[in-house]
Amino acid sequence: MQVISERVSILNKDNVFSLVVLPTDKKWKVNLLFVWLMLWTISGVIYISMYMNASNEGAFYRYQYDLAYKKNDRKLLIDIQKGIDQNQKKRLFIMGVIAFWAYFEYKVGKTFLFRKFGKEKLWIKNGKLFYQREINKWGKVKQYDPALVNDLEILKPNRGDFFVQMQESFWVIGGERLMFKYAAKYVRFGLQLEDKEAERVFKELKNELKKY
C-alpha cells in the first residue's frame, strides 16, 4: 500500500487498483462543524415554533373575524382584517426563513456525515472502473469502462474566485481536483486534495489506465 498522505492511500495488488481518500485528517474541524450544526438545528426549532405561534395567532384572528361578522361590526372587521393581513405577512416571512434554514440544514448535515463517517473510493477491478462517495458503507457506486476513459487531468482552481473558495470550504462537499472524460460526460473526483496529493494520484491512476 502506498500512503500518499494521512488522507490518501493507494493499493495496487492482485490486478486490483484501489484509491481511498478520507474526507479530513482534522478531527477538531469535524467537532466544530458538529457544534455549528447543533446550533443551527436549535435555531430551526425556534423558527418552526415561531411559525406555529403565528399560525395560532392567525386562527385566533379568523375566529374574531367570524364573531365580528355575525355582529356586523364593520369597524371591528376592518381592525381584525389588518391583523389578519399582518399575520399573513409574518407567516410568509418566517416560511422564507425556514426554507433558507432547511436548505443549509440539509447541506451541512450531509457534509457532517460525510466528514465523520464517509470516504471517497475509486477502484479498478475485473476490467471495470468504479467510483463511490460512501457514508458509513452506503452510497451509489458508479461504474465505467476504463478503456473509454479519456483526458485525465488535474484541475487547477482559481483560488481568488469566491465560488471556488466556497467549493473548497470545509462545510461543503466539493472542490474536486481531478477529472476525466467518459463518453460525453466529465467525471470529477478527488475532493479537496492538496496539490501534491492530486499530482501523485494523477500519476498512479494514469499509469494504471494505460493498461486499458
Side-chain angles (χ1 to χ4, degrees), residues 75 164 208:
K75 184 178 182 302
V164 171
E208 185 65 23

Side-chain angles (χ1 to χ4, degrees), residues 16-187:
V16 176
F17 175 91
S18 176
L19 165 69
V20 176
V21 179
L22 300 178
T24 182
D25 57 355
K26 296 178 175 61
K27 292 185 178 180
W28 67 270
K29 282 190 174 184
V30 178
N31 295 333
L32 188 63
L33 184 63
F34 176 74
V35 172
W36 189 94
L37 181 61
M38 288 300 98
L39 293 174
W40 189 255
T41 301
I42 291 171
S43 68
V45 172
I46 294 172
Y47 294 139
I48 292 171
S49 65
M50 288 173 61
Y51 181 79
M52 293 177 67
N53 290 335
S55 295
N56 291 333
E57 183 183 55
F60 180 69
Y61 273 125
R62 288 191 293 272
Y63 173 74
Q64 286 187 316
Y65 187 90
D66 290 340
L67 291 178
Y69 182 81
K70 291 178 180 178
K71 294 178 181 180
N72 198 24
D73 189 333
R74 294 185 177 275
K75 184 178 182 302
L76 184 58
L77 283 172
I78 293 172
D79 291 339
I80 295 173
Q81 186 61 53
K82 288 180 180 178
I84 291 174
D85 293 340
Q86 290 177 353
N87 176 263
Q88 188 174 17
K89 291 178 181 178
K90 182 196 296 187
R91 284 186 292 147
L92 287 173
F93 175 77
I94 297 174
M95 284 176 64
V97 172
I98 290 175
F100 174 83
W101 167 83
Y103 173 78
F104 283 99
E105 178 79 3
Y106 169 77
K107 297 288 285 187
V108 178
K110 185 177 179 180
T111 300
F112 170 75
L113 291 175
F114 181 75
R115 300 289 187 200
K116 182 72 174 178
F117 305 107
K119 65 180 67 171
E120 190 179 12
K121 296 164 61 178
L122 183 148
W123 67 99
I124 301 175
K125 183 178 180 181
N126 298 328
K128 296 293 182 183
L129 185 150
F130 303 91
Y131 176 72
Q132 180 187 31
R133 293 182 188 178
E134 74 164 44
I135 297 177
N136 199 21
K137 298 183 179 180
W138 290 88
K140 183 178 179 181
V141 177
K142 298 179 180 180
Q143 180 177 310
Y144 306 94
D145 183 346
L148 300 178
V149 171
N150 296 297
D151 301 332
L152 177 66
E153 63 177 298
I154 299 175
L155 298 173
K156 296 182 179 180
N158 177 13
R159 290 193 168 90
D161 189 300
F162 172 76
F163 293 102
V164 171
Q165 291 181 351
M166 288 287 289
Q167 283 296 309
E168 293 192 336
S169 64
F170 190 77
W171 64 279
V172 298
I173 302 174
E176 296 89 342
R177 293 301 314 280
L178 293 146
M179 179 179 72
F180 62 78
K181 186 177 181 181
Y182 187 78
K185 297 188 295 185
Y186 289 93
V187 180

